[in-house]
Each structure stands twice: as C-alpha cells, then as structure tokens.
Amino acid sequence: MDNHVYKKVEIVGTADTSIDDAIRNGIQRAAKTLKNVDWFEVGEIRGNVQGGTVAQFQVVLKVGFRLEE
C-alpha cells in the first residue's frame, strides 16, 4: 500500500430532505472540483427552521483529498 498525503478542507452540505442527503450533496459537489476525494468526517449538524418546522439540514464536513505525486 502506498503512503499518501492528504489535504483537508471544510465545506457545508445542505438539503431540504435529510442529513444523509446533505452529506451526499456536499460530497458530490466537492468531487466535481477536487481530485482524489477519499474520505470525509462530519463536524457539525444544524438546520434552518421556518414556521416551526425544519426547512433545511446543514452538515459541516471535513473532506480529505489525496495530493498527487
């Protein structure tokens, strides 16, 4: 197994439907502009409330991507 070096960036994924969708939306978007996305970790979960109901889920993600050789 090769030894890799990673860079970590923080993003916020959002979704109107669920925490899971917010994570997936964030990762899918990050993978469009970052090469070699290999992992993520969830730092915070929060949301937006409108009219007494949850209107949006927000998930703070740290995304790790492998630096090229």
Side-chain angles (χ1 to χ4, degrees), residues 48-56:
N48 185 349
V49 177
Q50 293 181 358
T53 62
V54 175
Q56 184 183 59

Side-chain angles (χ1 to χ4, degrees), residues 11-27:
I11 64 170
V12 179
T14 64
D16 297 338
T17 50
S18 69
I19 293 168
D20 184 64
D21 286 344
I23 292 169
R24 292 176 189 282
N25 289 343
I27 295 300

Side-chain angles (χ1 to χ4, degrees), residues 3-53:
N3 294 315
H4 300 296
V5 175
Y6 294 90
K7 172 124 178 102
K8 182 167 53 171
V9 297
E10 188 171 87
I11 64 170
V12 179
T14 64
D16 297 338
T17 50
S18 69
I19 293 168
D20 184 64
D21 286 344
I23 292 169
R24 292 176 189 282
N25 289 343
I27 295 300
Q28 287 173 356
R29 179 62 183 87
K32 287 182 180 180
T33 56
L34 299 172
K35 292 182 183 179
N36 305 315
V37 172
D38 283 348
W39 56 268
F40 72 93
E41 61 185 81
V42 175
E44 299 175 38
I45 299 171
R46 60 177 174 252
N48 185 349
V49 177
Q50 293 181 358
T53 62

